[in-house]
Amino acid sequence: MADIGFIGLGNMGAALVRRLMREHTLHVWDLNRAAVEVLVAEGAVAANGPGDIGASGVEMVITCLPTSAQVEEVLFEDDGLAANLAEGTLVADMTTGDTMITKQLAARLAEQGISMIDAPVSGGVVGAEQGTIAIMVGGTEDLFARARPIFETVSPNVFHAGDIGAGHAMKVINNMISSCIRLATFEGLALATKVGIEPMRFAEILSKGAARGFVADTTLPKYVIPGRQEQGFGLALMYKDLSLATQLGQDLKAPLTTGNYAREVFRRALNELGEDVDITQIVRLFERGADVDVCAAQEAADKAD
Ligand code: NDP
């Protein structure tokens, strides 16, 4: 059993804390005090800020914040984490963050004898709750070995991606690829509907062919076709991940023709559909483009049966 600090108790952070609390003592902090109180009622220890967590003698501090900007803030604000952590403490950033900024943060912490790894997750809040989420770690072999048993109390799917920043890179590249597949599949769905193929039949056949994958066998039949239901991941969050991936491409002079295209389609979707909509809603762009209504087409097919 370890004492662990945790900063960022949003949708993902709270789910991770609940898994960790099954074996460890969690010292928690979030700007949203209600989020702190909910977890304290479940057994966590309340902290009064990042500095308080740093001074509480924890052996590891986990951050799960919207972006690397907030991670930098909690680490290096006046009397923040870095100013209060004991030498030898490990900081693990589970934010979907920026590879280049994370490398800089790790170098600054190293000057104080504090180690850092990045460990973003993929699999959504449900994956975290069910203990199946993938955790992709960037950092030295030694730090990975040190953090692994703690991460395994969240999920057995813990991977060492490479050196510091590699976890973030792996995560945003994964999401860039899944976004490109999503757009191509939705475009195909709109065309198939226009041609008169029943949407569920389209998904069924697609999931057995060369274009099969998560979007074909889960997103379409479970979320999109039965009424554009929420998948639990915001369009804006995915736009953030696409922006991180394409920025990384720019930083490293690696052309990302398809990734940059996908990012711009997501930008258009945010402008047209709103900043707070679920990722499933992006199908509307393709429905409007082809002048079809996938859900209505499926309903009509069901009635005709
Ligand atoms: P949320 O927006 O639900 O939660 C973020 C929390 O951080 C909020 O409670 C917010 O408080 C708090 N916060 C913001 N700034 C600070 C700060 N400076 N100090 C302390 N607390 C702060 O985000 P999620 O939990 O959904 O996501 C967290 C990370 O996990 C993101 O990087 C996201 O990309 C990643 N992720 C999320 C997934 C998901 O399905 N949700 C899936 C995979 C990765 P307040 O609201 O008061 O600002």
Side-chain angles (χ1 to χ4, degrees):
M1 187 192 236
D3 274 73
I4 300 170
F6 203 108
I7 303 181
L9 311 174
N11 294 321
M12 180 52 74
L16 295 171
V17 166
R18 288 193 174 98
R19 295 290 300 180
L20 289 162
M21 275 201 300
R22 300 181 326 156
E23 291 195 29
H24 306 289
T25 303
L26 271 289
H27 300 251
V28 297
W29 167 250
D30 192 292
L31 286 180
N32 176 359
R33 298 314 301 261
V36 175
E37 279 157 27
V38 168
L39 289 168
V40 167
E42 295 176 33
V45 180
N48 283 322
D52 190 26
I53 286 195
S56 63
V58 293
E59 66 180 68
M60 178 170 171
V61 179
I62 297 176
T63 46
C64 186
L65 292 159
T67 72
S68 294
Q70 288 86 32
V71 177
E72 181 166 12
E73 193 179 305
V74 299
L75 281 172
F76 293 108
E77 68 189 4
D78 284 348
D79 204 27
L81 255 185
N84 287 280
L85 281 176
E87 224 181 290
T89 315
L90 177 60
V91 173
D93 183 23
M94 300 189 87
T95 306
T96 298
D98 185 307
T99 296
M100 297 311 200
I101 294 176
T102 301
K103 286 183 185 207
Q104 291 162 12
L105 297 178
R108 284 172 75 185
L109 288 173
E111 288 168 13
Q112 292 177 231
I114 298 164
S115 305
M116 182 172 185
I117 54 175
D118 49 312
V121 294
S122 179
V125 173
V126 173
E129 287 167 350
Q130 293 177 346
T132 56
I133 202 158
I135 303 175
M136 37 204 112
V137 181
T140 63
E141 290 278 3
D142 284 356
L143 293 177
F144 176 66
R146 192 172 145 192
R148 185 180 196 151
I150 290 177
F151 289 145
E152 281 177 344
T153 61
V154 173
S155 162
N157 303 319
V158 184
F159 302 97
H160 189 202
D163 287 340
I164 183 75
H168 287 327
M170 186 66 224
K171 160 79 195 200
V172 298
I173 293 168
N174 174 77
N175 278 13
M176 178 180 76
I177 295 170
S178 74
S179 294
C180 294
I181 294 170
R182 182 179 297 269
L183 296 184
T185 308
F186 287 0
E187 195 167 86
L189 173 68
L191 176 61
T193 306
K194 188 122 200 177
V195 122
I197 299 170
E198 185 186 324
M200 277 300 187
R201 188 68 47 82
F202 172 77
E204 187 189 355
I205 299 170
L206 206 65
S207 69
K208 296 288 178 246
R212 68 186 175 277
F214 183 77
V215 181
D217 62 35
T218 303
T219 304
L220 291 187
K222 198 166 167 202
Y223 299 105
V224 172
I225 300 169
R228 304 180 202 93
Q229 293 170 33
E230 295 208 343
Q231 213 165 337
F233 192 78
L235 201 57
L237 266 187
M238 190 59 97
Y239 178 73
K240 180 196 85 168
D241 294 356
L242 283 162
S243 301
L244 284 169
T246 51
Q247 183 60 51
L248 189 61
Q250 250 182 297
D251 292 343
L252 299 179
K253 299 189 170 54
L256 296 174
T257 317
T258 318
N260 274 292
Y261 167 76
R263 188 199 65 224
E264 290 307 292
V265 177
F266 271 73
R267 178 67 267 166
R268 208 179 91 214
L270 283 170
N271 293 351
E272 287 186 24
L273 305 169
E275 295 280 335
D276 295 324
V277 299
D278 191 81
I279 193 163
T280 320
Q281 297 301 320
I282 202 165
V283 73
R284 288 187 183 277
L285 246 51
F286 299 97
E287 291 180 292
R288 284 175 192 168
D291 192 22
V292 292
D293 183 325
V294 168
C295 306
Q298 186 59 48
E299 273 173 35
D302 290 344
K303 274 191 197 132
D305 279 347

